[in-house]
Each structure stands twice: as C-alpha cells, then as structure tokens.
Amino acid sequence: SPLNSIYLLRAPQDDVFRCGAIYVTAETIIQSLASGLLMGLLYGLIAVGLSLIFGLMNIVNFAHGEFLMLAMYAAFFLFAYFAIDPLLAMPFVAAAMFIFGAAVYLLIVRFAMRAKTNVGMVQIFTTFGLAIVLRGLAQYFFTPDYRSITHSWLGGKTISIAGIFLPVPQLVGAGLSILAFGALYFFIKRTDFGRALEATREDAGAVALVGIDQNRVFALGWGLGSALVGLAGAIMATFFYIYPDVGASFALIAYVVVALGGFGSVFGAFAGGILVGLVEASTALIMPPSLKSVGIYAVYLLVVFIRPRGLFGSI
C-alpha cells in the first residue's frame, strides 16, 4: 500500500485486527466506541442550545463556546469557595446561565436585530465580538492559568462492564444529556411556552398578531439554550481543564454537530453529537490521536456535499 496509508487486515488471532502496524482487539474497538458514544452525547448537549437559538431566530451564536467556558468557571468557583460538588452545582449553574443568556438577548442581540442593512453580518459580528470580550474578561479576571476540580464525587472514578471501562463523569454526563433531551422534547411539545416557541420558529410575524410577545419568547429561548450549555459545562468541569480558551474547540465541534444534524433541529443535534463522538473515537483508533478531528470534518464535508441541509434539517 502507499506510504502512510491506513489499511485494516485480518490477523491470525480470532478477535484481533491489524491497523497499520498496530494490532487492535475487538475489546479495544468496543472500548473506543463506548467512549465515543459517551462524549458524543455530551457534544449533543453542548450543541442543542446552539441549534435551538438558530432555529428560533436564524442567528448563530458565535459566543457559544464562551458560554460553556463561563459555566465551567462557575462550577469551579462554587467548588473552590463553597465546597459545592459540580453534581450539586448543576442546577445553580444552569439557572445562572439561563439569566445570563436572557440578559445577552435583551441587552445586546435584540438591538443587533434592529439593523436595517446587512442584518446577517451585524448579528454575526455582534456575537463574535461578544465572544472576544468574554474571553478577554476571563483572561483578565481569572488569569490564563489552567484549573481543575479535584476530589469531586465523580472525578477519577471508573466502572467496568464486561471488561469495558467507562469513566463515571462521562457516564453521568451522557445520562444527564439523555434526560435533558427528553425534558426539552416534552417542554417543546407539551407546554404552552413550547408551543409558542414552535410557532415563533415557524412564523415570527404571525405570532405577534395573536398577542405573543416575540421578545419574551426570544429571551426565554436564549435563556433555555444557555441553561443547556450550563449543564454541559458543569459536568465537563469534573474531568476537563478549565481555562479562558476552553470553549473554542468545543464550540467548533458544536457547529459541526449542528450542521450535521440540521440547523434548527433539536433531534438533529442529539443524533449529530452521537455521530461526531463515534467518528472521533473511530478515527483515533486507526490514526494518531492528534488527527482524530480529521474524521469529523471528513464526514461533515461528505454530508455537506450529499445533503447540505443536514441529516434532519429541512429547507
């Protein structure tokens, strides 16, 4: 085969495959896919707020990664100063991010939407500028130092199921992601505000004619999307370093997840997150870990060429 190419051969052993010069057992493959699934559910939870805001207002929040960063810092300081474990801090972090997200819409985004010309560019630069400001403030007040939460209830713990080791923080995070998606689906489909949210997504002008306050719906939508990323940030703070730039890489993955699933599709964000997690884990299995993102972007480009609106999106 050509130099540096990837190839997969059946080895003499019954349950061992050869990837390049490395033998990979079936157990290793299952372990990798299980880890990818857990991270994929977390990716979906990070991305669903971004998808919800876009579906509601056709605005891409380029400060979404910085929202995640703030949530992680909030969980860290609640642990450092009040000894509140991140698992218990999640409701407080989510509530604080809800208020922050609603305030961002009311104080910043609402005015950007009033632009008469180049509306799309104004909205893009508004959220992009917000991201730069939040990151700069974090560097100024929190310093660029890397921080971590030690001795948390979940940190450093693993469980073994049939020889497959699963980190407890990611396992709990995946379970919370599933519960959050279920609660969001119920909220949208079974509550009056959820119906107002769906109606506003369909025709923002028509809902104003029947007495629905569009600004209130948009503010609550931003708050809800921010609360969801707050949940993700609180759980990720238990196993990931916390620093001002931490949101950038996760934001990029979130954009890919939303594009794969379909902009504005909540279920698409859920499915896209799982797909991205599995592809990332599979790529790391057959390529150097530093190149694990190659598989993600390859799948993204494939979907863009074949189905530009995403797997579950609509034109």
Side-chain angles (χ1 to χ4, degrees):
S1 61
L3 186 64
N4 294 329
S5 65
I6 303 295
Y7 55 95
L8 190 66
L9 301 175
R10 185 64 175 171
Q13 294 88 345
D14 291 339
D15 61 345
V16 178
F17 291 88
R18 186 183 180 196
C19 179
I22 301 174
Y23 288 101
V24 180
T25 65
E27 185 180 71
T28 303
I29 295 174
I30 297 173
Q31 175 74 66
S32 180
L33 292 178
S35 299
L37 176 62
L38 297 183
M39 281 306 301
L41 287 167
L42 280 173
Y43 290 156
L45 183 60
I46 295 171
V48 69
L50 185 67
S51 183
L52 180 66
I53 291 172
F54 180 87
L56 182 64
M57 303 172 58
N58 285 331
I59 292 179
V60 177
N61 179 16
F62 285 96
H64 194 71
E66 281 59 41
F67 282 28
L68 177 68
M69 176 265 294
L70 290 178
M72 294 177 72
Y73 268 113
F76 172 79
F77 286 121
L78 285 173
F79 176 81
Y81 291 107
F82 301 101
I84 300 177
D85 190 87
L87 196 61
L88 294 179
M90 279 191 291
F92 302 105
V93 175
M97 291 305 299
F98 180 94
I99 295 171
F100 180 75
V104 165
Y105 169 76
L106 292 173
L107 299 177
I108 300 175
V109 177
R110 178 163 61 105
F111 298 100
M113 293 176 63
R114 295 178 180 176
K116 301 299 182 183
T117 58
N118 295 326
V119 179
M121 293 302 296
V122 171
Q123 295 169 356
I124 288 173
F125 283 115
T126 297
T127 57
F128 188 75
L130 176 63
I132 295 174
V133 169
L134 291 177
R135 197 180 305 178
L137 290 174
Q139 290 177 347
Y140 180 78
F141 288 107
F142 306 146
T143 75
D145 296 339
Y146 283 60
R147 305 168 189 262
S148 62
I149 294 178
T150 57
H151 309 299
S152 67
W153 292 352
L154 304 178
K157 296 181 174 63
T158 60
I159 62 172
S160 176
I161 301 176
I164 304 302
F165 294 91
L166 303 175
V168 173
Q170 286 94 320
L171 189 63
V172 172
L176 289 173
S177 299
I178 295 173
L179 290 176
F181 276 106
L184 181 62
Y185 179 83
F186 176 84
F187 179 76
I188 291 176
K189 298 297 183 182
R190 296 289 186 268
T191 66
D192 291 339
F193 174 72
R195 296 186 183 96
L197 195 69
E198 286 284 275
T200 305
R201 291 175 60 175
E202 295 294 330
D203 193 335
V207 296
L209 299 177
V210 296
I212 296 177
D213 187 344
Q214 180 177 296
N215 278 325
R216 179 172 177 268
V217 172
F218 285 165
L220 292 176
W222 269 77
L224 183 58
S226 302
L228 291 168
V229 81
L231 288 176
I235 193 66
M236 289 186 62
T238 62
F239 65 90
F240 208 86
Y241 282 113
I242 305 163
Y243 56 99
D245 292 334
V246 66
S249 58
F250 288 106
L252 186 58
I253 292 176
Y255 300 141
V256 173
V257 168
V258 172
L260 282 176
F263 281 97
S265 172
V266 171
F267 177 76
F270 180 76
I274 294 175
L275 177 61
V276 165
L278 292 175
V279 169
E280 182 183 51
S282 300
T283 305
L285 191 64
I286 62 177
M287 298 179 69
S290 59
L291 299 178
K292 64 182 180 180
S293 297
V294 170
I296 297 175
Y297 300 123
V299 171
Y300 168 67
L301 289 175
L302 181 64
V303 171
V304 167
F305 287 132
I306 297 176
R307 191 179 174 86
R309 63 182 179 271
L311 298 175
F312 300 96
S314 59
I315 297 176

